[in-house]
Amino acid sequence: MAILVVATVAVGGGLHFGSGGGFEVATFGVSSPEHEALELTDERFERDTRPVSQVVIHSESTDTVSKPVLLETLGLQSDLRSDPAINATLTETQPTVGVANAVALASDPRIALGGETDIEDKHRTLEGRTDEGIEAALGVALRSDDLSPPDQPPVSALVPRNYEAGQHANGQQIIVVHDEDATDAELLAAQRAIESTADARFDGSDVDSFVLGEQLVLERSGNATGESFLIVGPLIVLVVLGLLALSYRDPLDVALAAVGIGIVFVWLVGAMSWVGLSFNQLLIAVPCLLVGLSVDYSLHVVMRYREQRERHPTWPAATAMAVGVAGVVVAIGVTTLTTATGFLAGIASPIGILREFGIAAAIGIGSAFVVFGLFVPALRVELDETVGRSERTDPPSTVGSLDRVRRVLVACGSVGSRRPVLVVALAVLVAAGGAMGATAVETSTDRTDFLPEEGADWMGSLPEPLQPASAGLREQTLFVESTFESPSDRTVEILITGNVTDGSVDRTLNAAHAHAESRPTTAAAADGPVVESPLTTIERVAAENETVATLASERGVTEDADDDGDLTALFDAVYAADEAAASGTIHRTTGSDNGGEYDALRLTVVVEETADAETIYADARSTAAVIDDDPNLQATATGEPVVEAVEQRAILETVLTTFLLALGVITTLLVGVFRLRHRSWSLGMVAMLPVLLAIAWLFGTLWMLSIPFNAETALIVAIAIGLGTDYTVHLTDRFVTERRAGSRRDALRSTLVETGGAVLASGVTTMAGFGLLMLTIIPSLQRFGFVTAVVTGYALVATLVVLPALLVLWDRRRERPDSEGVS
């Protein structure tokens, strides 16, 4: 026991000394050239990187652009600017942008003649206007983009989509612009202050408000993980203790199992801290897995120990435990390897959070095997011998002795032994239908699934510390997305590297322009060119600068000219004339005497808002291919729609890759182990077939319920293989062992009543653990819990109903004279 204590202290010490810890929001990180190109364009090209906070004012009964509300919004902006915590983070010029600001300017343009006007001037202007005058000024503001500060959304993006003056507006936005040098901590403090200030301003009115900002969203999402754990954790403990008490009917075994689970959790969290993994929404599902797996290991070990005690009452506790563990350790070891392999298959995924999930799960699975395969049995023997329990008869388990449960388990074996072909045929028929639905299951990269949603009504009755304070963030985000227009066009970008000043580059860019403009997903921008690149930058700067105009004209840079001269001089002239404009599409390094070298260009294409991400990706890649045809250049398509398509492909790649990897490795392992243990090549395939049936049934369920594959369900197929083989291996190994000593009927009955009872209790515990995730406030966790509980249930049905039929068919074939030596 000293080893157990030392190991727990050493591994658990990571909670204090490790670099991980804390709850974090899951991020959908994918390793791909497109993601790397997006990061490079953000780093190299000039764009507005100032963080913003959105203050959303909404009401169903009150017009949010009426005169009283507009005046209140100006008062709110004044409050925000005067708050020290907020003001310290604001940009120096025009830090707040709102509908009321533009309406005041449209109502009386004279107030802007002296430059930027203060909030009080705008407030006085609107106070003196009638409702009709404000409505007319709002119409002017909606039609003019000049009334919004540079690089900020037009007025039309601050009111509901397709809004026209005179209509009822159920919402409006105020944009708070922060300084780009503000730290994350300062922004978080400012956004909290903005939220409390807005709440105080509209308190007692029919108008409500909420605030969205990156740091506030990250904090709330991270807090929601901990809040969900506070809700689900105690429920899981109660359910597990109840099921253990029902199964064991012995306080000592219940206590030992609970202690063992606690040690597994300490090892898991400690190891995660040592390796730098922090808990996020997806990793919170790992404890649910480990609860079920720990109960599974504990049940099998304890039941085998009790069997030996019952058969050999004179044996010492140590001998009974040694024989009992020896009878099950191979099966437990194999299931540990198969389950861990199913999760470790996630390492092959290009999605970062799935790789972390696989590693964390494998650590926990290994910990459960060591704790329940070695330490808990030793502790049980020591306690029995110390307190004199070795002479006492252990109570039988409920799952093996309760009449109703026993009858159900025996019935499963009876159906399988009497009508094995029919059972297998029906299972395969249903599986075929489910497999056909697999092709219709969609993929989703909706990031709002990771945001906490409104809690259920019953959560209001929880004690105050348990009530989730971070709920509703998802609904707020969806309200903004569905109510307001995007403040900017949807675009894709082409990152161009290589010898970007070669004389052929302008012709290549002209060809890329023409190709991009002809693509069906390319949209006409409301203003400005559809495609922007160094060519459009040169054209705009040339209109204001004679030197650039002369160089561009001599070269014919925007035409198919034959001049192959180097472009360095032209780029230098553009930078000298307007560095801000040039740095948006032409990147120049710094640090050299001549001002730097040119190493990258950016081409931007405006695309249709409603176009499919995969189609946009195909068009963007075709445009990049035009540039790649130039031997001097390399082009990579990127941008949000392209990244979305890459992430959708990554999900499908994860589903397929992890499935094939887990299937191949686990099948090979099972075939090899059963060949060595029972001299049968086919027995491993028999143990795998029910798991494949369960997966096919799952596919059909996902299709019927319109549940897509996404970041959290992409691993479900590999997980199903790992969890499912845990059940089938125990039953298969027990059946073959019992079959050597008795008839097929007796072997099947003994297998189902004893080992089948433990499998049933373990499966129900796993389903309950994952099913309780549906009570959290995070949609991604809810869906993962539901899907995992469903596939666990399917694996149980396949194990307890279909596997007995398969074992009967396998045993019949083994008994045939012509099958000797090839089973």
Side-chain angles (χ1 to χ4, degrees):
M1 289 304 99
I3 298 176
L4 173 62
V5 174
V6 171
T8 303
V9 171
V11 179
L15 293 172
H16 179 72
F17 297 105
S19 60
F23 291 102
E24 296 182 356
V25 58
T27 55
F28 198 114
V30 175
S31 302
S32 72
E34 291 79 6
H35 284 77
E36 294 174 5
L38 184 60
E39 292 178 2
L40 288 174
T41 56
D42 288 340
E43 293 172 2
R44 294 184 178 183
F45 297 99
E46 186 71 25
R47 64 178 78 194
D48 189 3
T49 57
R50 293 176 299 178
V52 299
S53 301
Q54 296 170 270
V55 183
V56 181
I57 296 98
H58 62 100
S59 175
E60 292 301 324
S61 59
T62 300
D63 186 0
T64 59
V65 293
S66 62
K67 179 178 177 179
V69 177
L70 290 178
L71 291 173
E72 287 293 334
T73 62
L74 289 174
L76 174 60
Q77 292 181 53
S78 180
D79 294 342
L80 299 180
R81 297 185 185 192
S82 61
D83 187 298
I86 302 172
N87 188 63
T89 69
L90 299 180
T91 186
E92 292 184 1
T93 58
Q94 298 177 309
T96 57
V97 182
V99 178
N101 309 53
V103 171
L105 291 174
S107 178
D108 187 358
R110 294 174 298 174
I111 63 176
L113 291 178
E116 182 184 358
T117 57
D118 59 28
I119 296 298
E120 287 71 21
D121 289 340
K122 296 173 183 175
H123 194 281
R124 285 192 296 269
T125 298
L126 290 187
E127 273 189 319
R129 296 295 182 268
T130 63
D131 292 341
E132 292 76 12
I134 288 179
E135 181 180 320
L138 178 57
V140 174
L142 290 170
R143 295 189 295 271
S144 174
D145 292 336
D146 297 334
L147 297 177
S148 293
D151 299 321
Q152 292 304 321
V155 178
S156 59
L158 303 178
V159 294
R161 185 179 282 107
N162 301 322
Y163 174 80
E164 294 182 3
Q167 296 178 341
H168 175 88
N170 67 337
Q172 66 151 299
Q173 296 185 87
I174 298 174
I175 305 299
V176 181
V177 186
H178 301 278
D179 189 271
E180 61 183 353
D181 294 327
T183 65
D184 291 345
E186 291 171 340
L187 288 172
L188 178 58
Q191 288 166 358
R192 289 173 177 168
I194 293 171
E195 184 177 54
S196 59
T197 303
D199 288 343
R201 167 62 64 171
F202 295 106
D203 184 36
S205 70
D206 293 333
V207 176
D208 295 317
S209 67
F210 60 84
V211 176
L212 293 178
E214 182 179 7
Q215 297 307 315
L216 197 62
V217 168
L218 290 174
E219 182 195 45
R220 296 279 167 79
S221 299
N223 290 344
T225 304
E227 292 167 356
S228 296
F229 195 76
L230 284 177
I231 296 173
V232 174
L235 294 176
I236 292 177
V237 171
L238 290 175
V239 170
V240 170
L241 290 178
L243 289 173
L244 287 174
L246 188 65
S247 300
Y248 287 140
R249 294 195 285 180
D250 186 339
L252 178 61
D253 283 324
V254 173
L256 286 176
V259 169
I261 293 173
I263 294 173
V264 170
F265 284 177
V266 171
W267 287 17
L268 169 66
V269 179
M272 288 178 59
S273 297
W274 281 120
V275 300
L277 295 178
S278 297
F279 266 102
N280 55 45
Q281 290 99 323
L282 190 55
L283 290 185
I284 201 177
V286 175
C288 299
L289 162 75
L290 297 182
V291 166
L293 201 61
S294 297
V295 170
D296 177 65
Y297 291 168
S298 178
L299 281 169
H300 286 293
V301 170
V302 170
M303 297 313 171
R304 289 298 182 99
Y305 173 56
R306 289 185 178 182
E307 286 180 29
Q308 296 304 319
R309 290 278 303 276
E310 183 178 352
R311 294 177 182 177
H312 309 282
T314 60
W315 281 6
T319 303
M321 181 64 77
V323 174
V325 171
V328 76
V329 69
V330 173
I332 290 180
V334 171
T335 57
T336 298
L337 290 175
T338 57
T339 307
T341 299
F343 284 90
L344 283 175
I347 296 178
S349 171
I351 303 173
I353 58 173
L354 298 187
R355 295 195 296 269
E356 293 180 0
F357 180 72
I359 294 172
I363 291 173
I365 293 166
S367 301
F369 173 72
V370 174
V371 170
F372 285 94
L374 298 177
F375 292 127
V376 171
L379 183 58
R380 170 64 192 268
V381 170
E382 185 172 326
L383 289 174
D384 279 355
E385 293 179 342
T386 301
V387 301
R389 289 171 49 97
S390 58
E391 302 299 326
R392 190 176 69 83
T393 302
D394 290 305
S397 68
T398 295
V399 293
S401 62
L402 195 64
D403 285 342
R404 291 183 180 178
V405 177
R406 185 171 61 238
R407 285 199 297 266
V408 170
L409 293 171
V410 171
C412 292
S414 178
V415 171
S417 61
R418 293 179 181 178
R419 299 286 188 273
V421 175
L422 178 62
V423 171
V424 174
L426 288 175
V428 171
L429 182 63
V430 176
M436 292 176 62
T439 59
V441 179
E442 298 180 348
T443 58
S444 171
T445 57
D446 187 359
R447 285 172 172 77
T448 62
D449 285 342
F450 291 98
L451 301 179
E453 63 181 9
E454 288 288 352
D457 293 338
W458 62 269
M459 291 184 180
S461 60
L462 293 173
E464 186 70 25
L466 295 181
Q467 293 185 15
S470 303
L473 187 57
R474 183 171 187 261
E475 285 81 2
Q476 293 172 356
T477 302
L478 292 175
F479 176 82
V480 171
E481 292 180 354
S482 62
T483 303
F484 303 103
E485 289 184 354
S486 174
S488 58
D489 292 318
R490 191 183 186 197
T491 61
V492 299
E493 297 173 305
I494 311 294
L495 175 65
I496 306 168
T497 56
N499 185 7
V500 297
T501 59
D502 187 80
S504 64
V505 170
D506 51 347
R507 290 196 302 273
T508 300
L509 289 176
N510 272 307
H513 269 252
H515 182 85
E517 290 171 353
S518 68
R519 296 297 88 197
T521 58
T522 301
D527 57 344
V530 173
V531 182
E532 290 201 12
S533 73
L535 299 185
T536 55
T537 300
I538 292 169
E539 188 174 2
R540 280 198 300 269
V541 175
E544 304 291 335
N545 184 275
E546 185 176 347
T547 301
V548 175
T550 300
L551 290 172
S553 177
E554 291 175 353
R555 213 193 139 71
V557 70
T558 58
E559 303 171 0
D560 293 329
D562 294 329
D563 190 348
D564 287 334
D566 188 87
L567 292 171
T568 301
L570 179 57
F571 287 172
D572 286 342
V574 174
Y575 257 89
D578 191 341
E579 183 173 349
S583 60
T585 57
I586 307 167
H587 180 256
R588 183 172 65 179
T589 60
T590 58
S592 58
D593 295 336
N594 61 358
E597 298 179 351
Y598 301 101
D599 63 352
L601 308 175
R602 181 176 67 170
L603 183 145
T604 304
V605 183
V606 179
V607 296
E608 292 284 355
E609 286 289 337
T610 58
D612 175 72
E614 187 63 34
T615 307
I616 293 174
Y617 183 33
D619 285 349
R621 290 206 307 173
S622 69
T623 301
V626 173
I627 300 172
D628 271 330
D629 287 340
D630 188 328
N632 297 293
L633 303 175
Q634 299 84 45
T636 305
T638 188
E640 291 301 329
V642 170
V643 165
E644 180 183 349
V646 170
E647 290 174 351
Q648 290 176 349
R649 292 187 174 193
I651 290 173
L652 289 176
E653 178 185 339
T654 297
V655 173
L656 182 61
T657 302
T658 57
F659 169 67
L660 294 177
L661 182 60
L663 178 64
V665 173
I666 293 176
T667 300
T668 302
L669 178 64
L670 293 183
V671 169
V673 168
F674 281 116
R675 173 59 184 173
L676 291 174
R677 183 167 171 78
H678 300 297
R679 303 184 61 80
S680 172
W681 289 109
S682 59
L683 202 54
M685 297 301 298
V686 170
M688 178 60 70
L689 185 55
V691 181
L692 299 180
L693 294 174
I695 292 172
W697 300 344
L698 174 67
F699 284 148
T701 302
L702 295 178
W703 171 63
M704 288 190 296
L705 298 181
S706 299
I707 297 176
F709 285 125
N710 48 29
E712 75 276 359
T713 57
L715 275 182
I716 194 62
V717 177
I719 292 173
I721 294 177
L723 287 176
T725 52
D726 179 22
Y727 305 144
T728 61
V729 165
H730 283 296
L731 253 69
T732 303
D733 185 71
R734 181 65 179 266
F735 172 79
V736 178
T737 302
E738 294 289 340
R739 182 69 175 91
R740 293 196 188 104
S743 66
R744 181 189 304 145
R745 178 186 178 87
D746 291 342
L748 200 58
R749 179 186 178 88
S750 177
T751 297
L752 287 169
V753 171
E754 299 298 335
T755 302
V759 166
L760 177 62
S762 170
V764 170
T765 305
T766 303
M767 291 176 62
F770 281 107
L772 286 173
L773 291 179
M774 297 173 64
L775 301 181
T776 67
I777 58 174
I778 303 173
S780 60
L781 265 184
Q782 296 170 6
R783 183 160 47 217
F784 182 77
F786 171 77
V787 171
T788 308
V790 167
V791 78
T792 302
Y794 287 163
L796 269 181
V797 172
T799 300
L800 297 176
V801 178
V802 182
L803 181 58
L806 290 171
L807 290 173
V808 168
L809 294 175
W810 173 84
D811 193 51
R812 287 179 181 176
R813 179 179 179 276
R814 185 178 61 87
E815 289 182 335
R816 291 189 346 227
D818 59 343
S819 64
E820 184 177 353
V822 296
S823 64

